[in-house]
């Protein structure tokens, strides 16, 4: 009943059913949330009565009454959507207190300090969430009182101090809002319910949903539940526990607790928590829960086992111990790192908890990225300047920034940044997303920073206690080293170490669980996965990651190398066909060498070579000095060189003289490239390598272009095969990246053996959207929901997808065995891969590091398709 | 049987059937031409026998034998395609001569000089066309002989001179080709037949076909016909005659002849010909044919009448008088000016020769352009410096060029040029096409220059006898005035006068026949015709030309006016919404004034106002000086101004921050424009004007953009209507110019009442073709036939047309009464209008001067559709 009750509500009901101790309560369904928004943020009629009825049952069960000064019952009011959105929505605790009820709580608990502390926390939380009073006002008053009393910790304040603080808080609320703080518990209750529903649409919740692809229309449930207290004394505690280690996936109870504390204290990361069991306790650590509360600990271990078996997935549990009694407050599927997701999935298959298909579906393809990023080369690392918790694995270097805004703005300029904060809060999400890594001074493994960073796949070191930050001066110190904003540091999220400067990284290693999962994925997918690779080194990496060929080898990338660019420029600035041919002759052996290296690395696998694509102007220098140097190098008058460079400049180079248009006007360019491919293939074949070249003509808009250039390629092949005395099988095909090529695919397919969708350009042209220029408005478009996501990241299914589908259908109509793939950025995006599966492409091609992601995403796509078939 | 025999062959057969005297002969069909090309330019087997058989019949009829020295028969071998291609393909005359046969011709004709002159002409023509010997070699030898004999005219050479020249010619052929000139008449015959078939694919023929839309696959027929001679003495003549005046359409025999000449002499324009009848004879002219050959003249008048009645169209006849006997060599529909086409069509309806529908189809819409161009303001004209023949009407000014190459290259640079030549030849076609006007020193009304210029709608003055050209010095003189290359002159093609400098022009006047034809067209068409007009003046012109509304009013054109551009720039460089709003407030009254003027000019008719479209950067200055001036004007530091201007620069502005994207990010821009439209409409309505505003949102790619901006427009309308106390009916729609908008038209249509296809941008995006940059390769593409025509001139039906069709269908599916039009350049192109009719658009919109063309083209499209229905 997740959809109706939200994750938290449904799980509480389920736990109750399993006989696990849960504080009694009830959940208001997500349907009420819809009604709330439909009515312009008003609670529906009839809700009051239903709430009172449910509350009465709880009162009976608890033998206490809500708002009764003699025997008070306090409740929490909590949010809970279908998917977990940690910290994104609001929660109110200790609800039901007023000046009279607090007296009852004093009596009931026998602890006046606790009662007034609960009361002042409640006022602060309620005023912030429901009444919109600035929270700083309360903090200032608390700090002032501490100064007055000359104490440093909240706990040193007495009950009388807190009572005075309560009065002070209420005065502040009246001053700020013009109204008294509501002292009717029922009014408090409905205010809180409305506020929790309302928190579904706070900007930070909206941002989180956008980043995580959670639909707007799901809505949240509201759970009203009896309060239990982990802060009634030393026989009380509160904590969070995972059934497996969320960082590594190791099967062990993993968690932390705080004695005499409320749950919020653990999550907020203000006090550094204690270990769960003896095993996890390090020298100098305070005693573990196993030692301080052995009975509750055993009960907790049993509950954790039961819940994992029940849900057949790793669980994330919140618990509170009130005066020696364990209460489970929440269970949900635990967020985990990619490493943990893979290990958990594979081990659970071995434990016969789940089948392989479920295991595959348990690991998100996007998340795999974390495992494929380089890790720190510890041998090359200098001495660290500090250590915190290894909160989210991976390594990252970057310039230090101290605010989320700075992180976002510098990242937008293409800079790698490390966000350094005392602690993070949901307001920092956009900055965390923009940063390469996050370093915090406070907070544990389940603090906001840690949870969010793991979800995002950002490297994170949290609770780095030596870290001091002086925001005003834009300066931090760690291990005696001063770090100014802009200084480079390096984080190792897998060990918690922090280094000064940028430390070299090592290629990622893929463990046995990873390889097992990949093998299962390969068995489950239909789509082939290739890589985009331009050099022998890239090709080797790609093959190591499991690429089944090269889907896009951009020959022009070879042109930019320092020893070649002059020959390329000479070719571009040629005035006659002869001059051009001469310059091309110079380039031929270099290109041939490139292709030989690539064929060797990909022996037996197809290699799609795209002939020259970019506008020639891209190869020319731009600044006055560079042009002068070029004139000298080419032995041309400066004026002539400048004029030639100038003539090649275009108004809209994306739609200009590029791709196959270059070869229609200067056939000798493609002729040279085809010759290099075929000579390389013949020579490789003689040396025992099995080259499988596929020659791809870019930017075709009409079949006649393809037919003419394919004839050129075929003639060149014939000549080379004759000269080399050897034949090599090859095919010729085209990129489909101009809308017209997609629209006329039936004709285009008659002249080529394969289509490869170049969805970067296809997106630019179909949406009329220059990738280089869209920065000024695309973010607004995504924010306003005009496009659900950046169409360069996930394929625009309605527009670009329509063309792709049409081209696949029409192309196959003309040529049954047409081979079809995709080689734009979308080839490594799981959502787009799902689309590629749905139109029955033959393969996707993506960057080498995304190959495993594509392999898993292809398996997911196939499994999902089968489910609906 | 035009398709099979070609125009010439079919007409000869038809004339024979009508009893008109035609020299006997036979035609080899176009099927043989196809076979010729299929076999790699080889004549098919069996042809020889069939040709001999037909030749035998002709021999029997003529009582003479081909190749018989005692009684020789000479033939001509002529090309003839389904459509006339004057001068584009090859013809060989006097075929069948050799050293022995020429003796027979001497005896037969009793004129040794004629016989050897025919022989030397034959050798020259055959060597040029069949053997590929450079024609200059013959001319040099002729000139050398004339110098040797000290004579200036060919006619002063004796028979012996010519016999010597023949020997000399043959020696030259042997030297040049390494073979003897073929003296076997049968070998000559088949060589000539092959050469004529081969001439179907000479570059000039290919160019002509491309310019005139004649398909490659038609092929040519070859007619072999007995030679008749107009150069056997003073009782011989040759001439060309039209059944109506091809320049004005006046119903009278119109033509010219040369006594004692071959037909080629008339067409080549080397001698200035004589008038046909007394009426046309001007003082100082030599006697007319009516006077010199009254019997033949009467016979000719009768034949002309018969043929016009038979073909129900104006005929262009070639005739030869051999020793007092008239032979008709050819009849075909006469090429005519637009003026003549309109007059002929309208008068033939009155004469009950044709019906209105036929009359409409007789006038090509493209050709109408000639009538819509300005004519010379004779009052403002200075004294002319010379006069030639009024060969093709209209007026043109431009810089003088002396070669076709120069004409083409300067025109490509955007210059208006006048091509000045002694005479023109088919090799000059590309230059004539590029020039605004053509002036020749020689040649009559039916000379190459005149015929081709009329067909192209270029103004032309031919046979301007005072004109002397010194090519080497790049200098001409006329009427004592020296004209250097680059000097400006003006031609009046309607009077034949030539002026020094650029003379002002007058707006075209549309005569009563034109108005009659337009009325018929309006009755026959279904499509409405609107104009693209941005100012009240344009709107008035458009209405005068019959526009039924404005289909595209580009509001940004108003922004460029000197008194506004500063306000526009201030708006663009605003940093805050308030600054921008302030700058926009300044522009509001100006825009309102513009719209009021346009609504007044278009009262009662729809006016589609497109809101701001181009990238903002287009409004900013580019040079350093201009930016400095702007900084001063705006009171901004230079550095800030420069940076702001720089930031707005885009990599691909066509696909950048423009169109509705500007309003998604800065809604206040469209809000101001909508307010200006509605305020103007309300105020006009109060003054009795009937405004019908249609607000058009450009560059929409997704329905959400349109929905959001339409809401903004509607809200603005509501506000204005409330403030002005008056409502005006309006509609809101969108340009369809981004492929995605066409693909998702079903959604887009839900948010707007009309679609207007912006096929300029749609072509750029669908073909991936930047209009500004395609100059470097598009000509190659059209030459190679990859695109049949420039896709910015005629709509690419396969690609862009597919999207248009799809969008029309899907748009109407979502909204039955969706109004659909086109406002790109294609809206004035007849071929594209045919497409618009086929998909049942509601209207086309084009530049004011093309409105009549569109009206006629729309009628044609409708009539053609009905024919196939």
């Amino acid at each position: 009943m997740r959809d109706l009750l939200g994750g938290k509500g449904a799980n509480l009901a389920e736990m109750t059913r399993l006989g696990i101790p849960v504080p009694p309560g009830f959940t208001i369904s997500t349907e009420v949330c819809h009604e709330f928004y439909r009515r312009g943020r008003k609670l529906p009629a009839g809700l009051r009565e239903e709430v009172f009825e449910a509350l009465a049952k709880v009162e009976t069960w608890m033998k206490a009454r809500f708002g009764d000064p003699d025997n008070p019952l306090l409740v929490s009011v909590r949010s809970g959507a279908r998917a977990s959105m940690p910290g994104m929505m609001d929660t109110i605790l200790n609800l039901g207190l007023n000046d009279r009820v607090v007296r009852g709580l004093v009596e009931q608990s026998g602890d006046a300090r606790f009662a007034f502390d609960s009361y002042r926390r409640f006022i602060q939380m309620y005023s912030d969430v429901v009444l919109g009073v600035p929270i700083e006002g309360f903090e200032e008053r608390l700090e002032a009182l501490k100064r007055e009393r000359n104490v440093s910790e909240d706990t040193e304040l007495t009950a009388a101090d807190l009572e005075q603080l309560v009065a002070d808080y209420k005065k502040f609320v009246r001053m700020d809002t013009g109204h008294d703080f509501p002292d009717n518990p029922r009014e408090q209750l409905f205010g809180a319910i409305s506020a929790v529903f309302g928190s579904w649409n706070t900007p930070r919740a909206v941002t989180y949903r956008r980043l995580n692809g959670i639909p707007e229309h799901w809505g949240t449930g509201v759970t009203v539940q009896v309060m239990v207290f982990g802060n009634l004394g030393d026989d009380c505690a509160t904590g969070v526990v995972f059934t497996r280690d969320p960082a590594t996936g190791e099967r062990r109870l993993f968690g932390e607790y705080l004695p005499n504390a409320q749950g919020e204290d653990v999550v907020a990361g203000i006090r550094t928590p204690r270990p769960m069991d003896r095993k996890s306790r390090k020298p100098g650590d305070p005693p573990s829960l196993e030692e301080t509360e052995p009975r509750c600990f055993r009960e907790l271990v049993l509950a954790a086992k039961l819940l994992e078996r029940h849900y057949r997935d790793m669980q994330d549990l919140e618990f509170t111990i009130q005066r020696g009694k364990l209460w489970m407050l929440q269970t949900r599927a635990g967020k985990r790192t990619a490493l943990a997701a893979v290990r958990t999935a594979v081990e659970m298959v071995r434990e016969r908890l789940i089948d392989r298909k479920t295991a595959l579906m348990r690991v998100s393809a996007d998340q795999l990225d974390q495992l494929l990023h380089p890790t720190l080369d510890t041998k090359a690392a200098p001495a660290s300047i500090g250590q915190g918790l290894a909160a989210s694995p991976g390594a990252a270097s970057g310039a230090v920034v101290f605010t989320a805004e700075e992180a976002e703005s510098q990242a937008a300029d293409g800079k790698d940044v490390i966000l350094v904060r005392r602690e993070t809060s949901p307001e920092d999400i956009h900055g965390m997303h923009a940063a390469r890594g996050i370093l915090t001074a406070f907070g544990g493994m389940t603090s906001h920073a840690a949870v969010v960073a793991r979800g995002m796949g950002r490297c994170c070191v949290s609770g780095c206690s030596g870290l001091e930050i002086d925001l005003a001066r834009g300066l931090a110190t760690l291990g005696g080293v001063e770090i100014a904003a802009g200084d480079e540091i390096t984080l190792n999220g897998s060990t918690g170490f922090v280094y000064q400067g940028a430390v070299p990284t090592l290629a990622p290693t893929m463990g046995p669980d990873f390889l097992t999962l990949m093998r299962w994925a390969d068995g489950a997918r239909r789509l082939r996965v290739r890589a985009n690779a331009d050099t022998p080194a890239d090709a080797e990496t790609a093959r190591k990651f499991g690429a089944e060929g090269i889907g896009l080898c951009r020959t022009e990338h070879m042109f930019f190398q320092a020893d070649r660019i002059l020959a390329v420029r000479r070719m571009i600035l040629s005035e006659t066909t002869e001059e051009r041919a001469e310059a091309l002759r110079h380039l031929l052996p270099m290109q041939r060498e490139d292709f030989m290296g690539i064929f060797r690395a990909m022996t037996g696998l197809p290699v799609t070579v795209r002939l020259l694509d970019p506008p020639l102007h891209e190869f020319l220098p731009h600044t006055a000095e560079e042009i002068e140097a070029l004139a000298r190098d080419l032995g041309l008058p400066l004026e002539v060189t400048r004029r030639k460079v100038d003539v090649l400049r275009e108004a809209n180079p994306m739609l200009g003289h590029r791709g196959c248009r270059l070869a229609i006007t200067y056939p000798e360019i493609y002729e040279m490239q085809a010759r290099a491919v075929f000579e390389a293939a013949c020579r490789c074949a003689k040396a025992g390598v099995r080259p499988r070249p596929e020659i791809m003509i870019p930017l075709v808009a009409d079949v006649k272009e393809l037919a003419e250039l394919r004839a050129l390629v075929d003639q060149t092949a014939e000549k080379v095969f004759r000269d080399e005395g050897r034949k090599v099988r090859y095919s010729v095909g085209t990129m489909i990246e101009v809308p017209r090529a997609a629209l006329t695919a039936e004709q285009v397919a008659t002249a080529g053996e394969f289509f490869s969708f170049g969805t970067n350009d296809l997106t630019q042209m179909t949406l009329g959207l220059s990738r280089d220029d869209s920065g000024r408005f695309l973010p607004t478009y995504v924010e306003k929901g005009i496009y659900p996501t950046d169409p360069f990241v996930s394929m625009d299914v309605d527009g670009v997808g329509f063309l792709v589908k049409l081209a696949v259908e029409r192309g196959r109509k003309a040529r049954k065995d047409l081979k079809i793939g995709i080689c734009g950025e979308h080839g490594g995006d799981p959502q787009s891969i799902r689309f590629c599966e749905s139109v029955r492409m033959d393969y996707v091609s993506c960057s080498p590091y995304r190959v495993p992601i594509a392999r898993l995403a292809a398996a997911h796509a196939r499994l999902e398709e089968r489910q609906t078939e």
Side-chain angles (χ1 to χ4, degrees), chain A:
Chain A
M1 297 182 79
R2 277 186 103 73
D3 296 1
L4 196 63
L5 302 181
K8 182 175 287 174
N11 286 345
L12 285 172
E14 197 71 6
M15 282 198 286
T16 308
R17 220 170 54 80
L18 290 172
I20 288 169
V22 170
F26 55 91
T27 298
I28 305 169
S29 77
T30 54
E31 284 176 343
V32 179
C33 183
H34 304 151
E35 191 57 24
F36 174 77
Y37 281 104
R38 250 198 307 274
R39 296 165 61 98
R41 296 184 174 242
K42 281 205 180 64
L43 294 173
L47 183 71
R48 281 184 89 83
E49 287 65 37
E50 286 187 53
V51 166
F52 291 147
E53 218 172 282
L55 195 57
K57 280 188 202 158
V58 172
E59 286 174 332
T60 310
W61 208 88
M62 290 298 289
K63 303 191 181 70
R65 286 186 51 214
F66 187 63
D68 182 350
D70 297 331
N71 186 20
L73 180 80
L74 302 190
V75 298
S76 64
V77 179
R78 294 166 189 267
S79 60
R82 206 184 297 187
S84 166
M85 294 168 57
M88 289 302 119
M89 287 182 299
D90 291 325
T91 285
I92 293 160
L93 304 177
N94 304 332
L95 191 136
L97 283 170
N98 59 26
D99 289 353
R100 282 174 305 128
V101 172
V102 73
R103 300 286 161 204
L105 188 62
V106 171
E107 286 201 14
Q108 203 183 37
S109 67
D111 184 345
R113 201 200 160 280
F114 155 75
F116 280 101
D117 190 41
S118 298
Y119 193 18
R120 73 100 191 159
R121 282 170 188 254
F122 165 62
I123 293 173
Q124 175 172 334
M125 203 179 269
Y126 192 94
S127 300
D128 173 28
V129 170
V130 184
L131 307 177
V133 178
I135 197 152
E136 295 77 18
F138 299 102
E139 279 163 4
E140 279 165 19
R141 278 164 178 77
L142 174 62
E143 292 305 315
L145 184 66
K146 276 153 73 180
R147 271 197 308 277
E148 211 182 298
R149 295 290 179 266
N150 200 22
V151 299
S152 67
E153 294 297 317
D154 298 2
T155 45
E156 296 174 73
L157 293 172
T158 64
D161 292 338
L162 292 168
E163 188 171 0
Q164 179 187 331
L165 195 61
V166 163
D168 211 21
Y169 275 11
K170 292 176 105 180
K171 217 166 7 175
F172 172 59
V173 170
R174 190 161 46 243
M175 201 178 75
D176 191 79
T177 66
H179 297 283
D180 282 335
F181 185 86
D183 69 353
N184 178 342
R186 298 192 161 197
E187 189 187 332
Q188 290 172 1
L189 180 60
F190 288 101
I193 291 170
S194 286
V196 172
F197 279 139
S199 72
W200 174 252
N201 268 343
T202 58
R204 68 173 193 243
V206 171
T207 300
Y208 184 89
R209 286 202 294 275
R210 186 156 51 75
L211 291 175
N212 290 276
I214 298 175
E216 292 291 326
H217 68 262
W218 279 3
T220 183
V222 175
T223 297
V224 178
Q225 196 178 17
V226 168
M227 282 299 301
V228 291
F229 295 99
N231 55 347
L232 277 181
D234 290 339
D235 56 351
C236 298
T238 192
V240 173
V241 80
F242 290 80
T243 57
R244 311 205 176 202
D245 184 333
T248 65
E250 192 192 344
R251 192 181 176 191
R252 66 177 179 110
L253 203 63
F254 173 95
E256 39 196 24
Y257 81 102
L258 283 171
N260 197 13
Q262 283 210 359
E264 298 298 304
D265 301 337
V266 184
V267 177
I270 291 163
R271 284 159 61 191
T272 298
R274 301 183 175 186
M276 288 302 297
D277 52 17
R278 266 193 214 94
K279 266 198 302 189
S280 329
R281 190 178 162 193
K282 289 190 217 83
D285 274 355
S288 68
L289 190 71
E290 190 175 5
E291 292 152 304
T292 55
E293 295 285 350
R295 203 180 48 81
C296 286
F297 177 76
R298 277 193 306 277
E299 208 179 330
L300 181 63
V301 169
L302 281 172
K305 275 200 181 138
L306 185 62
L307 286 166
E308 188 181 274
R309 292 237 142 237
H310 179 71
Y311 287 111
R312 294 167 183 270
D313 197 3
M314 185 241 273
Q315 295 298 299
D316 166 359
L317 308 166
E318 283 180 25
F319 66 92
T320 283
I321 296 170
Q322 178 174 332
R323 297 204 167 135
K325 162 140 185 64
L326 176 75
W327 294 99
M328 300 301 298
L329 301 183
Q330 171 159 296
T331 188
R332 56 186 173 189
K335 297 232 162 201
R336 62 207 84 172
T337 63
L339 193 68
V342 170
R343 180 168 170 179
T344 306
V346 172
E347 288 189 349
M348 281 190 176
V349 171
R350 293 210 188 101
E351 294 162 21
R352 299 186 192 281
L353 270 176
I354 56 175
D355 62 9
R356 286 183 180 183
K357 207 176 102 180
T358 309
L360 283 169
M361 298 307 290
R362 280 279 168 82
V363 183
S364 118
D366 273 325
Q367 207 186 15
L368 273 196
D369 209 17
Q370 292 174 31
L371 298 182
L372 306 167
H373 279 309
T375 51
L376 222 55
D377 182 356
T378 41
K379 272 173 262 157
S384 73
I385 54 172
Q387 189 184 13
L389 301 171
S392 181
S397 301
V400 165
V401 293
F402 292 114
T403 65
E405 287 63 39
E406 199 54 33
E408 198 170 35
S409 96
Q410 293 203 23
D413 291 345
K415 257 199 194 160
D416 288 344
V417 298
I418 303 287
L419 179 61
V420 178
R421 301 283 283 160
R422 250 178 76 87
E423 64 210 283
T424 66
S425 71
E427 276 75 23
D428 294 320
I429 288 196
H430 62 293
M432 297 171 73
H433 198 255
R436 313 300 306 173
I438 298 126
L439 171 63
T440 67
F442 293 85
M445 288 296 288
T446 50
S447 65
H448 178 266
V451 170
V452 172
R454 281 200 296 271
M456 284 179 176
R458 291 294 172 282
C459 142
C460 176
V461 173
S462 68
C464 183
S465 47
L467 182 68
E468 279 171 22
I469 301 173
D470 183 341
L471 256 179
R473 290 175 53 215
L475 208 67
T477 50
L478 179 61
V481 176
E482 283 208 338
I483 308 164
D487 287 354
E488 272 202 323
I489 63 169
T490 300
L491 305 182
N492 188 342
S494 309
T495 61
F497 284 111
V498 180
Y499 304 89
Q500 200 173 9
V503 179
T505 51
L506 286 175
T509 54
M510 290 159 289
D513 288 338
F514 177 86
L515 296 175
T516 301
L517 193 81
M518 281 294 116
R519 215 175 46 239
W520 294 346
D522 292 346
R525 70 187 158 92
R526 188 194 58 79
L527 277 167
R528 307 273 89 187
V529 176
R530 300 192 190 181
N532 301 344
D534 309 334
T535 62
D538 283 358
E540 275 160 31
T541 306
R543 195 152 195 178
K544 206 181 60 200
F545 280 123
E548 298 161 293
I550 290 181
L552 177 63
C553 172
R554 284 158 291 220
T555 51
E556 62 269 19
H557 283 202
M558 307 169 179
F559 281 12
F560 282 106
Q561 290 174 27
D563 55 334
R564 304 179 180 187
I565 189 71
L566 187 65
V568 173
R569 289 172 175 172
R570 197 186 298 277
M571 183 271 284
I572 292 170
L573 299 182
S574 303
E575 302 251 296
T576 65
T577 308
E578 292 69 38
E579 267 184 74
R580 195 172 305 108
E582 176 54 36
L584 287 166
R585 254 192 299 284
H586 195 69
L587 285 168
L588 175 67
M590 302 176 180
Q591 287 249 297
R592 190 172 53 218
E593 273 311 306
D594 296 327
F595 294 133
M596 287 181 72
I598 288 171
F599 289 141
R600 270 185 225 113
M602 280 285 157
T603 179
L605 295 178
V607 174
T608 306
V609 175
R610 179 180 70 184
L611 302 185
L612 193 67
D613 182 49
L616 297 179
H617 189 256
E618 281 195 13
F619 298 103
L620 295 179
H622 295 271
T623 68
E625 298 78 49
E626 288 173 328
I627 293 174
E628 268 171 49
L630 178 61
R632 267 195 314 277
D633 288 344
L634 294 178
L636 278 175
L638 177 60
E639 209 25 70
V640 173
T641 312
R642 200 177 287 145
R643 189 182 48 73
K644 284 178 164 194
V645 169
D646 229 52
V647 159
L648 286 169
R649 210 155 272 155
E650 295 186 299
N652 296 289
M654 240 280 307
L655 310 179
H657 195 191
R658 51 170 290 227
C660 68
R661 293 165 189 171
L662 294 170
I664 293 287
T665 49
Y666 310 127
E668 49 279 9
I669 299 178
Y670 278 15
E671 197 188 336
M672 179 282 281
Q673 294 199 293
R675 173 171 287 277
V677 169
F678 293 124
E679 288 182 357
C682 287
R683 292 176 198 190
C684 278
K686 286 177 198 164
V689 170
R690 283 169 297 132
R692 286 181 51 195
E694 300 180 336
I695 297 211
M696 179 153 76
I697 312 291
L699 212 76
V700 161
D702 188 280
V703 62
K704 295 198 203 78
E705 293 169 300
L706 181 58
E708 176 162 339
L709 297 172
R710 130 155 256 153
L712 177 75
V713 170
D714 287 342
Q715 283 153 20
T716 308
E718 234 170 86
K719 269 186 244 163
V720 172
F721 294 161
R722 206 167 44 227
D723 295 349
E724 298 279 334
R726 177 150 200 141
K727 280 194 179 189
V728 171
R729 275 214 315 188
Y730 70 95
S731 62
V732 180
T734 181
M735 297 273 276
I736 301 285
E737 52 189 337
V738 176
R740 193 178 191 278
L743 295 170
T744 61
E746 201 168 336
Q747 286 111 283
V748 174
T750 60
E753 282 104 37
F754 63 87
F755 281 179
S756 177
F757 288 94
T759 48
N760 298 352
D761 276 358
L762 194 57
T763 299
Q764 297 200 79
M765 296 182 203
T766 306
L767 275 60
L769 202 60
S770 164
R771 196 173 182 168
D772 294 332
D773 304 310
S774 59
R776 216 170 298 135
F777 55 92
L778 199 51
T780 310
Y781 267 63
V782 175
E783 247 163 60
K784 291 196 170 189
I786 295 176
Y787 292 126
T789 52
D790 182 334
F792 294 110
V793 172
S794 272
M795 195 196 291
D796 158 45
V797 171
D798 288 348
V800 176
F802 179 93
L803 284 179
V804 170
K805 196 157 180 283
L806 186 86
V808 168
E809 286 166 7
R810 299 199 159 191
R812 290 224 169 102
K813 205 166 139 195
R815 187 189 285 264
K816 236 175 158 173
D817 61 346
L818 187 72
K819 201 194 281 184
I820 299 179
I822 183 174
C823 64
E825 293 285 305
H826 298 118
D829 168 63
Q831 206 174 312
S832 310
I833 290 170
R834 193 172 304 144
F835 175 82
C836 297
E837 171 67 36
S838 77
V839 300
R840 296 289 180 274
M841 284 195 194
D842 295 301
Y843 68 88
V844 298
S845 186
C846 57
S847 81
Y849 282 88
R850 288 196 77 85
V851 165
I853 297 171
R855 287 160 71 195
L856 182 56
H860 286 170
R862 187 65 184 149
L863 291 171
E864 282 166 16
E865 285 256 322
R866 282 213 173 149
Q867 225 157 21
T868 61
E869 258 167 16

